Amino acid sequence: MEALPQIRQTLSEIDRRIPDALRVAMGLRLRPTAGAALEEVTRFTASCLPRPCPEGGGDPMECDEAPPARALRMEAASCFLPDHDEDSHFVRPEAGVVALADGVGGYRAPGVDAAAFARALMYNAFEMVVATTPGGAGGICPYALLGWAYEQAVSGRTQGASTAVILSLAGTALRYAYIGDSAFAVFRDGKLFFRSEAQVHSFNHPFQLSVKNGNSVTAAARGGVEVKKGDVVVAGTDGLFDNVTNEELQRIVAMGRALGLSPKQTADVVAGFAYEASTTMGRDTPFSLESRKQQGTIFRRGKRDDITVVVAYIV
């Protein structure tokens, strides 16, 4: 099976597309040389300062909900920064579907491809989305899509295990299905509006799908969020959410919108910030804070990992 093409970019390429003002305000390592950037920061940073975030609100591919009064669509893009190269994803905005998966590194061993299950899930789901022309008002059902992709991976006796998130926009409903600690968030008017809750057995041991010894696909969280024009959706593997807090992500999204960044530019900035957080010592991250809480550790740093970020603007 041929893996889906992955978007791979160097951090230097991403840096060239990050506006100086946002780089200064977020404390990224590469500082601008021009004083004009500092003036730009002062014009909008006050409105983008961190705000309190709410604490984490059959076979057919189509959902059966009644049609909404007004349909929305998404403009979406992604950024992938590989570490072990075990993430996989796809973006299909014309179908209103984005998805990502994270191969579980614990399966890494000689002769075992720890990325295989994640790639199989995304390949199978992508092929079904391309082949499906939704006839129902509810569009493509992410839970049914995840189940079908999982069954195909199991029937192929695919190696490894994976977490996953699938999001599908139909009308004004953003429907979701996810398993494990890959996650997504919805931002509205510069504030966090909804954040999925990670499914974990214990610290750093997420729910996961596999041929055997994994969770059932029926354990996947599923539901829907009512969205409106102007909302921003950010989905990512744990390489993002282990290294970037809700407040930091909220701030980047708000500042990106103030600067008029595209979904691609925003995805690049978020991924670049997550990478820097993952490699910086002496700085607390969600990963180090949760480790301290669950295991009594004292380190202050991020977690090196593959980083996949998908950003969708609701329009």
Side-chain angles (χ1 to χ4, degrees):
M1 183 189 68
E2 191 173 319
L4 287 174
Q6 297 293 332
I7 299 173
R8 301 189 181 195
Q9 303 150 307
T10 65
L11 289 173
S12 61
E13 290 173 333
I14 292 174
D15 276 327
R16 286 196 293 270
R17 292 194 293 273
I18 298 176
D20 286 344
L22 198 149
R23 187 185 292 114
V24 170
M26 291 307 300
L28 298 178
R29 287 179 188 149
L30 296 181
R31 304 287 180 169
T33 55
L38 294 174
E39 296 176 8
E40 188 180 358
V41 170
T42 62
R43 289 199 297 268
F44 66 85
T45 299
S47 64
C48 302
L49 290 174
R51 301 176 174 89
C53 293
E55 296 185 0
D59 199 325
M61 290 297 111
E62 297 173 359
C63 302
D64 298 323
E65 282 76 9
R70 180 174 55 88
L72 298 171
R73 60 184 180 86
M74 65 168 60
E75 295 177 353
S78 63
C79 183
F80 172 52
L81 298 179
D83 186 45
H84 290 97
D85 196 10
E86 292 163 354
D87 284 2
S88 186
H89 74 282
F90 69 85
V91 175
R92 190 77 172 174
E94 58 268 44
V97 179
V98 298
L100 54 86
D102 179 4
V104 177
Y107 281 78
R108 215 175 290 138
V112 177
D113 181 2
F117 209 91
R119 290 174 180 157
L121 284 177
M122 294 296 97
Y123 179 86
N124 296 333
F126 179 76
E127 290 293 295
M128 178 57 73
V129 170
V130 170
T132 300
T133 302
I140 293 176
C141 179
Y143 177 64
L145 183 60
L146 178 63
W148 188 88
Y150 167 72
E151 290 170 2
Q152 297 303 304
V154 169
S155 66
R157 308 300 297 172
T158 309
Q159 293 179 326
S162 181
T163 67
V165 174
I166 298 179
L167 303 175
S168 175
L169 177 65
T172 60
L174 180 71
R175 297 182 60 79
Y176 62 82
Y178 67 87
I179 189 90
D181 57 1
S182 290
F184 76 99
V186 179
F187 297 89
R188 177 172 297 171
D189 300 326
K191 298 180 181 180
L192 181 64
F193 178 72
F194 179 88
R195 166 74 151 82
S196 62
E197 297 184 6
Q199 296 177 310
V200 296
H201 295 287
S202 58
F203 175 70
N204 210 28
H205 181 201
F207 284 26
Q208 54 202 258
L209 300 176
S210 64
V211 172
K212 59 180 181 179
N213 301 325
N215 294 97
S216 168
V217 72
T218 60
R222 63 259 201 195
V225 181
E226 284 295 311
V227 292
K228 67 178 186 178
K229 181 179 178 180
D231 287 355
V232 178
V233 181
V234 180
T237 54
D238 63 344
L240 167 61
F241 290 102
D242 277 347
N243 291 299
V244 182
T245 66
N246 289 341
E247 290 81 3
E248 289 167 337
L249 189 56
Q250 175 179 277
R251 191 179 182 194
I252 294 172
V253 169
M255 295 178 74
R257 293 298 271 173
L259 286 167
L261 299 190
S262 68
K264 176 58 180 165
Q265 290 172 316
T266 300
D268 286 350
V269 172
V270 171
F273 185 82
Y275 177 81
E276 290 208 4
S278 75
T279 59
T280 301
M281 303 297 291
R283 176 187 183 280
D284 266 327
T285 61
F287 181 77
S288 65
L289 290 171
E290 191 64 19
S291 178
R292 189 176 309 149
K293 177 181 176 181
Q294 299 291 337
Q295 299 188 317
T297 56
I298 60 172
F299 67 83
R300 299 178 67 236
R301 59 173 172 78
K303 177 189 176 187
R304 289 290 299 268
D305 203 349
D306 295 326
I307 297 170
T308 298
V309 177
V310 175
V311 172
Y313 288 177
I314 306 300
V315 298

